[in-house]
Amino acid sequence: MQRYTAREIWQMEDCQSPRMGCSVVLGVDGGASNTVCVCIPAIMPFADPLPVLSRAIAGCSNQNSVGEDRARETLERVMAQALLKARRRRSNVSAVCLAVAGVNHPIDQHRMLDWLREIFPSHVKLFVENDAVAAMASGTMGKLHGCVLIAGTGTIAYGFTNDGREARAAGAGPVLGDWGSGYGISAQALTAVVRAYDGRGPETMLTNNILDFLGLASPDELIGWTYEDQSWARIADILPVVVESAEAGDEVANKILHNSVGELASSVKAVVQRLALSGEDGKDLFPLVMVGKVLEANNRWDIGKEVIDCVNKTYPGAYPIHPEVEPAVGAALLAWNAIASELDDDLTTVA
C-alpha cells in the first residue's frame, strides 16, 4: 500500500469530491508509540456512541523521542489522512485539538500553534495540549476535573480542578525517570538480565524469556540489540514478557512490578495533594482516569487495580474510570466543547 506524505494528501484536496454537510472537528492523540486522529461532526447532538466520521493512525509524534521535524510530519500526515477518509477539506474544519506527549511548556504550545496556523485556514480554532489532557477528557467526556494517570510507553499523572488549576507529576521521559511506565519496567528487566549474567544480581526467568522473545542466543547480544535502536516504544514492547515472568512466580519480575505500582501511585498522590482534589478531610470524591497498556489487567497481575488500592489507602474518594473511548476522541471533545461554548455565547449575545 502506497504511503503518501502530508503534502501529497493536501494536493488531493482539490481533486476529490467533498461530501456536503456539516463542518468537522479533528482530535489528535500523539504519544511515544503511535498517533491517532479522529474526525467528528462539528454540529451534532451529544450522543452515545459519538459519531466518528473517520480515523487515521501513524507512528510516534513525541518530539522528544523522534525530533521536531519527524513529529510534525507524522502529525500533519495523520490529520490529512483523517480528512481524506472523511472526504472533507481543511476549509471544512471548525476546530483542531492536538494533544501530544512532549508538550510540556507554554513555549511548546506556542510553537505548535504557530505551525498549525500555517496548515489550516484562519477561521479554524486551534488548541494544543499535553496528551494527558485528552486522556482525561476521554474518561470524563470532555470535562476537565480530577486526575488522570497514563502508563503506556511513558507515564504521567495530570490533575485538574473545577476552577482551572492544574498540576502534573512524572512525564519527564526515561532519562529523568518515567519509572512505572512500559519503558521503565522493560528497562529494569533488561538491567536485571545483565546483572544476573554478570553475577551482580540474582538469577531470573527474565533472562531466557526475554532472549526467546527477542530471538537472541545470549545476554551478550542484548547490548547490541538495545543500542541498535533506542526508541522508547521498542524497549517498552518487552512489557508482556515481564508480566508473564512475574505471573510465573519470578521474584525479580515481581519486584519490578511492585516497584512500578509504588511509582505510579506516588505520582497520582502528588497531584492530588497539590490540587487538594480530595478536600480538607481527604475523603472527597474525584475521578481517577486510568489509561495505558501498563494498567490493563492480566491473568494474575493487575497493575491498575494495585495502583488504585494504593491510592485509596490515602485518598479513599478516588474512583477509577476506564475510558470507553480513545484519547483522540477525548481531544476532539475538548475542541467540540470549546466551539460549542463559543456558539452558546454568540447566541446569548444576539438574544
PDB file of all heavy atoms in Angstrom, residues 244-263:
ATOM      1  N   GLU A 244       4.432 -11.766  32.263  1.00  0.00           N
ATOM      2  CA  GLU A 244       4.332 -13.229  32.209  1.00  0.00           C
ATOM      3  C   GLU A 244       5.325 -13.881  33.170  1.00  0.00           C
ATOM      4  O   GLU A 244       4.994 -14.877  33.833  1.00  0.00           O
ATOM      5  CB  GLU A 244       4.587 -13.712  30.782  1.00  0.00           C
ATOM      6  CG  GLU A 244       3.470 -13.364  29.805  1.00  0.00           C
ATOM      7  CD  GLU A 244       3.879 -13.597  28.360  1.00  0.00           C
ATOM      8  OE1 GLU A 244       4.966 -14.189  28.145  1.00  0.00           O
ATOM      9  OE2 GLU A 244       3.127 -13.195  27.453  1.00  0.00           O
ATOM     10  N   SER A 245       6.519 -13.322  33.259  1.00  0.00           N
ATOM     11  CA  SER A 245       7.522 -13.869  34.164  1.00  0.00           C
ATOM     12  C   SER A 245       7.087 -13.700  35.612  1.00  0.00           C
ATOM     13  O   SER A 245       7.270 -14.610  36.439  1.00  0.00           O
ATOM     14  CB  SER A 245       8.871 -13.185  33.934  1.00  0.00           C
ATOM     15  OG  SER A 245       9.324 -13.373  32.612  1.00  0.00           O
ATOM     16  N   ALA A 246       6.504 -12.561  35.929  1.00  0.00           N
ATOM     17  CA  ALA A 246       6.011 -12.317  37.285  1.00  0.00           C
ATOM     18  C   ALA A 246       4.880 -13.279  37.620  1.00  0.00           C
ATOM     19  O   ALA A 246       4.822 -13.845  38.730  1.00  0.00           O
ATOM     20  CB  ALA A 246       5.550 -10.869  37.430  1.00  0.00           C
ATOM     21  N   GLU A 247       3.968 -13.481  36.664  1.00  0.00           N
ATOM     22  CA  GLU A 247       2.842 -14.384  36.906  1.00  0.00           C
ATOM     23  C   GLU A 247       3.300 -15.825  37.066  1.00  0.00           C
ATOM     24  O   GLU A 247       2.623 -16.637  37.710  1.00  0.00           O
ATOM     25  CB  GLU A 247       1.828 -14.259  35.764  1.00  0.00           C
ATOM     26  CG  GLU A 247       1.101 -12.907  35.754  1.00  0.00           C
ATOM     27  CD  GLU A 247       0.104 -12.780  34.626  1.00  0.00           C
ATOM     28  OE1 GLU A 247       0.248 -13.496  33.610  1.00  0.00           O
ATOM     29  OE2 GLU A 247      -0.817 -11.969  34.765  1.00  0.00           O
ATOM     30  N   ALA A 248       4.467 -16.146  36.497  1.00  0.00           N
ATOM     31  CA  ALA A 248       5.030 -17.492  36.637  1.00  0.00           C
ATOM     32  C   ALA A 248       5.803 -17.646  37.943  1.00  0.00           C
ATOM     33  O   ALA A 248       6.334 -18.734  38.221  1.00  0.00           O
ATOM     34  CB  ALA A 248       5.944 -17.801  35.458  1.00  0.00           C
ATOM     35  N   GLY A 249       5.870 -16.577  38.731  1.00  0.00           N
ATOM     36  CA  GLY A 249       6.492 -16.660  40.059  1.00  0.00           C
ATOM     37  C   GLY A 249       7.898 -16.117  40.168  1.00  0.00           C
ATOM     38  O   GLY A 249       8.540 -16.280  41.216  1.00  0.00           O
ATOM     39  N   ASP A 250       8.413 -15.465  39.121  1.00  0.00           N
ATOM     40  CA  ASP A 250       9.783 -14.948  39.187  1.00  0.00           C
ATOM     41  C   ASP A 250       9.866 -13.782  40.171  1.00  0.00           C
ATOM     42  O   ASP A 250       9.130 -12.789  40.054  1.00  0.00           O
ATOM     43  CB  ASP A 250      10.222 -14.473  37.803  1.00  0.00           C
ATOM     44  CG  ASP A 250      11.672 -14.031  37.790  1.00  0.00           C
ATOM     45  OD1 ASP A 250      12.558 -14.896  37.901  1.00  0.00           O
ATOM     46  OD2 ASP A 250      11.910 -12.809  37.689  1.00  0.00           O
ATOM     47  N   GLU A 251      10.750 -13.884  41.138  1.00  0.00           N
ATOM     48  CA  GLU A 251      10.851 -12.877  42.191  1.00  0.00           C
ATOM     49  C   GLU A 251      11.340 -11.541  41.653  1.00  0.00           C
ATOM     50  O   GLU A 251      10.867 -10.473  42.072  1.00  0.00           O
ATOM     51  CB  GLU A 251      11.781 -13.367  43.313  1.00  0.00           C
ATOM     52  CG  GLU A 251      11.216 -14.530  44.124  1.00  0.00           C
ATOM     53  CD  GLU A 251      12.107 -14.904  45.287  1.00  0.00           C
ATOM     54  OE1 GLU A 251      13.092 -14.165  45.554  1.00  0.00           O
ATOM     55  OE2 GLU A 251      11.838 -15.931  45.947  1.00  0.00           O
ATOM     56  N   VAL A 252      12.294 -11.582  40.745  1.00  0.00           N
ATOM     57  CA  VAL A 252      12.850 -10.339  40.199  1.00  0.00           C
ATOM     58  C   VAL A 252      11.776  -9.587  39.427  1.00  0.00           C
ATOM     59  O   VAL A 252      11.594  -8.373  39.596  1.00  0.00           O
ATOM     60  CB  VAL A 252      14.061 -10.632  39.297  1.00  0.00           C
ATOM     61  CG1 VAL A 252      14.536  -9.348  38.609  1.00  0.00           C
ATOM     62  CG2 VAL A 252      15.193 -11.255  40.104  1.00  0.00           C
ATOM     63  N   ALA A 253      11.040 -10.281  38.587  1.00  0.00           N
ATOM     64  CA  ALA A 253       9.977  -9.640  37.814  1.00  0.00           C
ATOM     65  C   ALA A 253       8.884  -9.092  38.727  1.00  0.00           C
ATOM     66  O   ALA A 253       8.365  -7.990  38.508  1.00  0.00           O
ATOM     67  CB  ALA A 253       9.387 -10.632  36.807  1.00  0.00           C
ATOM     68  N   ASN A 254       8.521  -9.858  39.745  1.00  0.00           N
ATOM     69  CA  ASN A 254       7.501  -9.382  40.690  1.00  0.00           C
ATOM     70  C   ASN A 254       7.950  -8.132  41.428  1.00  0.00           C
ATOM     71  O   ASN A 254       7.158  -7.210  41.655  1.00  0.00           O
ATOM     72  CB  ASN A 254       7.146 -10.492  41.684  1.00  0.00           C
ATOM     73  CG  ASN A 254       6.027 -11.387  41.188  1.00  0.00           C
ATOM     74  OD1 ASN A 254       4.870 -10.989  41.140  1.00  0.00           O
ATOM     75  ND2 ASN A 254       6.386 -12.606  40.802  1.00  0.00           N
ATOM     76  N   LYS A 255       9.215  -8.088  41.784  1.00  0.00           N
ATOM     77  CA  LYS A 255       9.737  -6.904  42.471  1.00  0.00           C
ATOM     78  C   LYS A 255       9.679  -5.683  41.560  1.00  0.00           C
ATOM     79  O   LYS A 255       9.318  -4.580  42.001  1.00  0.00           O
ATOM     80  CB  LYS A 255      11.176  -7.149  42.924  1.00  0.00           C
ATOM     81  CG  LYS A 255      11.771  -5.984  43.715  1.00  0.00           C
ATOM     82  CD  LYS A 255      13.182  -6.310  44.191  1.00  0.00           C
ATOM     83  CE  LYS A 255      13.764  -5.134  44.979  1.00  0.00           C
ATOM     84  NZ  LYS A 255      15.146  -5.431  45.458  1.00  0.00           N
ATOM     85  N   ILE A 256       9.997  -5.860  40.291  1.00  0.00           N
ATOM     86  CA  ILE A 256       9.935  -4.743  39.328  1.00  0.00           C
ATOM     87  C   ILE A 256       8.507  -4.213  39.233  1.00  0.00           C
ATOM     88  O   ILE A 256       8.275  -2.997  39.247  1.00  0.00           O
ATOM     89  CB  ILE A 256      10.445  -5.202  37.948  1.00  0.00           C
ATOM     90  CG1 ILE A 256      11.954  -5.458  37.990  1.00  0.00           C
ATOM     91  CG2 ILE A 256      10.125  -4.148  36.880  1.00  0.00           C
ATOM     92  CD1 ILE A 256      12.507  -6.087  36.720  1.00  0.00           C
ATOM     93  N   LEU A 257       7.531  -5.122  39.147  1.00  0.00           N
ATOM     94  CA  LEU A 257       6.139  -4.694  39.023  1.00  0.00           C
ATOM     95  C   LEU A 257       5.641  -4.045  40.314  1.00  0.00           C
ATOM     96  O   LEU A 257       4.903  -3.047  40.271  1.00  0.00           O
ATOM     97  CB  LEU A 257       5.251  -5.873  38.632  1.00  0.00           C
ATOM     98  CG  LEU A 257       5.514  -6.484  37.260  1.00  0.00           C
ATOM     99  CD1 LEU A 257       4.454  -7.526  36.920  1.00  0.00           C
ATOM    100  CD2 LEU A 257       5.552  -5.420  36.170  1.00  0.00           C
ATOM    101  N   HIS A 258       6.012  -4.592  41.452  1.00  0.00           N
ATOM    102  CA  HIS A 258       5.619  -3.969  42.732  1.00  0.00           C
ATOM    103  C   HIS A 258       6.191  -2.560  42.834  1.00  0.00           C
ATOM    104  O   HIS A 258       5.502  -1.627  43.282  1.00  0.00           O
ATOM    105  CB  HIS A 258       6.095  -4.826  43.899  1.00  0.00           C
ATOM    106  CG  HIS A 258       5.195  -5.979  44.222  1.00  0.00           C
ATOM    107  ND1 HIS A 258       3.900  -5.815  44.671  1.00  0.00           N
ATOM    108  CD2 HIS A 258       5.404  -7.322  44.140  1.00  0.00           C
ATOM    109  CE1 HIS A 258       3.344  -6.999  44.869  1.00  0.00           C
ATOM    110  NE2 HIS A 258       4.235  -7.933  44.554  1.00  0.00           N
ATOM    111  N   ASN A 259       7.431  -2.383  42.414  1.00  0.00           N
ATOM    112  CA  ASN A 259       8.041  -1.055  42.438  1.00  0.00           C
ATOM    113  C   ASN A 259       7.311  -0.100  41.490  1.00  0.00           C
ATOM    114  O   ASN A 259       7.138   1.088  41.787  1.00  0.00           O
ATOM    115  CB  ASN A 259       9.518  -1.134  42.044  1.00  0.00           C
ATOM    116  CG  ASN A 259      10.375  -1.775  43.116  1.00  0.00           C
ATOM    117  OD1 ASN A 259       9.972  -1.860  44.276  1.00  0.00           O
ATOM    118  ND2 ASN A 259      11.560  -2.230  42.747  1.00  0.00           N
ATOM    119  N   SER A 260       6.877  -0.621  40.342  1.00  0.00           N
ATOM    120  CA  SER A 260       6.165   0.228  39.387  1.00  0.00           C
ATOM    121  C   SER A 260       4.842   0.698  39.957  1.00  0.00           C
ATOM    122  O   SER A 260       4.431   1.848  39.739  1.00  0.00           O
ATOM    123  CB  SER A 260       5.942  -0.526  38.065  1.00  0.00           C
ATOM    124  OG  SER A 260       4.929  -1.498  38.180  1.00  0.00           O
ATOM    125  N   VAL A 261       4.157  -0.164  40.701  1.00  0.00           N
ATOM    126  CA  VAL A 261       2.901   0.234  41.361  1.00  0.00           C
ATOM    127  C   VAL A 261       3.160   1.393  42.314  1.00  0.00           C
ATOM    128  O   VAL A 261       2.419   2.391  42.329  1.00  0.00           O
ATOM    129  CB  VAL A 261       2.291  -0.964  42.122  1.00  0.00           C
ATOM    130  CG1 VAL A 261       1.154  -0.487  43.039  1.00  0.00           C
ATOM    131  CG2 VAL A 261       1.771  -2.008  41.147  1.00  0.00           C
ATOM    132  N   GLY A 262       4.210   1.293  43.104  1.00  0.00           N
ATOM    133  CA  GLY A 262       4.544   2.366  44.037  1.00  0.00           C
ATOM    134  C   GLY A 262       4.858   3.675  43.337  1.00  0.00           C
ATOM    135  O   GLY A 262       4.428   4.752  43.775  1.00  0.00           O
ATOM    136  N   GLU A 263       5.588   3.595  42.224  1.00  0.00           N
ATOM    137  CA  GLU A 263       5.942   4.802  41.474  1.00  0.00           C
ATOM    138  C   GLU A 263       4.697   5.468  40.880  1.00  0.00           C
ATOM    139  O   GLU A 263       4.526   6.688  40.952  1.00  0.00           O
ATOM    140  CB  GLU A 263       6.931   4.460  40.354  1.00  0.00           C
ATOM    141  CG  GLU A 263       8.309   4.067  40.837  1.00  0.00           C
ATOM    142  CD  GLU A 263       9.113   5.257  41.346  1.00  0.00           C
ATOM    143  OE1 GLU A 263       8.677   6.404  41.143  1.00  0.00           O
ATOM    144  OE2 GLU A 263      10.173   5.020  41.949  1.00  0.00           O
TER     145      GLU A 263
END
